[in-house]
Amino acid sequence: SKSHLTYGERAKQHTNPVARRLFEIAEAKETNVVVSADVTRAGELLDLADRLGPYIAVLKTHIDILDNFSPTVLEDLKELAAKHNFLIFEDRKFVDIGNTVQKQYHGGALQISSWADIVNCTMLPGEGIVQALTQTAEREDFPYKDQRALLILATMTSKGSLATGEYTKVSVECARKYSRFVIGFVASRTLGDIETEVSPLENEDFVLFTTGVNMASKGDKLGQQYQTPKSAVEAGADFIIAGRGIYAVSDPVASAKAYKEEGWNAYLGRVAK
Ligand code: 6AU
C-alpha cells in the first residue's frame, strides 16, 4: 500500500488519469472528504453541491433517488463540479451480467457515463461485470476516454454483510486484472495484503474509499455501522464517505468543515509516520 505517501506524491506516480486527478484535488483543496448527498430533491442536491463544494474532493450521488429528476440536473451538477473542482461518483453499484451493465452504464435513461467520473460495482456476478464495464470504457468510440474509472465494492458496512472472504478476494483479483479501469475499492480496510491468483501489480496503488463514517453516531436502525473519520483514515482510508453526518444536520457546511479537518489531520498523521 502507498498509504504512507502524500496525495501529491501519489498523484505524480499514478498511471491512471482519474486517480491522478483525485489525488491532485485532495492535495490542492486539502480534503479527503466525499459527501454522500443522499437527498431526494434536485434543488437540494444542487444546493448542497454548491455549498459543500469547496470542502470536498468528491460528490457521491444516488441519482435514482431524486423524485424530481430531469436531465438538466446533470448539466448543473457538471457545472458545479467544474466550479468547485470536485469529481462526481455515482454510487450505482452495478450488479448484473456484463451485457446488462454495459447498457446501464453507457446510455440509458440516466446516461451515467456522460456525467459520473467514477462509478462502482459489486463482485457478485463475478469477473464478467468488471470485464464488461472495462470493455465499454475502452471502446474506440467511448467519448470519455481516460476520464472515467471504476471502484469495486469489496466489503460492506451493513450488519451481516456477505461481502467478505472469497467475495473480497475476487474483488482484489479483478482490480489487479483490470487495473486500467479499476482505480480502487469501497471498503473498510486495506486490501493489499490479500493474495490472489493474479499477482500484485508492480507499483500497485489502489485508492481506498471508506464509507460508514459519522462523527456523532454509531449506526442507524437499519443496520448501518459507523466509525469516525480519524479511525477510517488510520485504518487506511484515502477518502472518507459521509452522508447523514454531513447533510442531515442543522449546519451542513460547518459539518463538512469538521469532517474535512478531522480527515485531513488523520491523513497528515499517517504520512508523517
Ligand atoms: O453516511 P450515511 O450512512 O448517511 O451514507 C452512507 C452512504 C450511502 C450508502 O449507499 C453508501 O454510503 N455505502 C456504500 C457505498 C458508498 O458503496 C457501501 C457500503 O458498504 N455502505 C454504505 O453505506 O449512500
Side-chain angles (χ1 to χ4, degrees):
S1 157
K2 297 262 165 81
S3 65
H4 59 287
L5 297 180
T6 66
Y7 294 126
E9 288 164 337
R10 292 170 77 181
K12 285 202 194 88
Q13 293 180 9
H14 216 288
T15 53
N16 182 290
V18 179
R20 278 204 299 271
R21 261 190 82 201
L22 195 54
F23 287 134
E24 280 162 9
I25 291 171
E27 183 80 33
K29 294 171 74 175
E30 300 195 348
T31 180
N32 47 27
V33 172
V34 178
V35 71
S36 180
D38 300 334
V39 292
T40 55
R41 304 295 296 174
E44 211 183 326
L45 173 63
L46 297 172
D47 180 58
L48 277 176
D50 200 18
R51 288 163 67 210
L52 305 183
Y55 313 105
I56 63 174
V58 179
L59 181 82
K60 187 176 80 63
T61 54
H62 280 299
I63 211 70
D64 61 350
I65 69 177
L66 290 180
D67 54 29
N68 60 341
F69 174 82
S70 74
T72 60
V73 178
L74 307 173
E75 291 308 314
D76 293 343
L77 265 186
K78 277 197 280 190
E79 258 174 49
L80 290 169
K83 174 180 172 190
H84 295 297
N85 192 26
F86 60 74
L87 298 186
I88 304 174
F89 165 15
E90 164 57 21
D91 187 4
R92 175 61 180 76
K93 297 188 183 70
F94 295 108
V95 65
D96 218 313
I97 60 164
N99 186 254
T100 301
V101 297
Q102 286 185 332
K103 295 172 188 170
Q104 290 171 325
Y105 176 51
H106 187 51
L110 298 174
Q111 303 278 319
I112 293 173
S113 65
S114 76
W115 55 273
D117 304 284
I118 300 170
V119 292
N120 56 353
C121 73
T122 81
M123 280 314 301
L124 218 49
E127 178 179 341
I129 188 169
V130 180
Q131 184 186 16
L133 292 168
T134 303
Q135 195 184 79
T136 293
E138 291 185 342
R139 262 167 43 182
E140 275 296 301
D141 59 348
F142 186 69
Y144 319 103
K145 193 171 162 11
D146 293 335
Q147 299 166 49
R148 298 292 179 258
L150 178 66
L151 297 172
I152 296 178
L153 182 64
T155 72
M156 286 201 75
T157 56
S158 37
K159 220 169 159 183
S161 160
L162 304 178
T164 60
E166 189 64 18
Y167 171 97
T168 305
K169 186 180 158 204
V170 174
S171 301
V172 177
E173 190 157 274
C174 276
R176 287 177 174 151
K177 190 161 174 191
Y178 298 91
S179 66
R180 296 184 313 275
F181 191 45
V182 180
I183 58 166
F185 307 99
V186 176
S188 299
R189 71 173 199 82
T190 53
L191 303 167
D193 59 314
I194 293 183
E195 281 182 35
T196 67
E197 304 294 311
V198 182
S199 312
L201 310 168
E202 190 188 330
N203 222 17
E204 184 167 286
D205 187 16
F206 290 115
V207 189
L208 180 64
F209 285 70
T210 296
T211 184
V213 173
N214 195 303
M215 288 171 77
S217 166
K218 291 260 174 269
D220 68 12
K221 289 177 181 157
L222 298 170
Q224 175 69 301
Q225 304 171 114
Y226 289 127
Q227 60 178 324
T228 64
K230 185 167 185 277
S231 75
V233 173
E234 284 174 354
D238 299 311
F239 292 90
I240 48 172
I241 304 174
R244 285 164 286 181
I246 293 179
Y247 72 79
V249 302
S250 59
D251 188 346
V253 172
S255 187
K257 287 182 184 169
Y259 281 67
K260 172 180 183 281
E261 192 178 326
E262 185 173 317
W264 192 257
N265 284 335
Y267 154 78
L268 289 178
R270 191 173 84 190
V271 297
K273 279 193 186 130

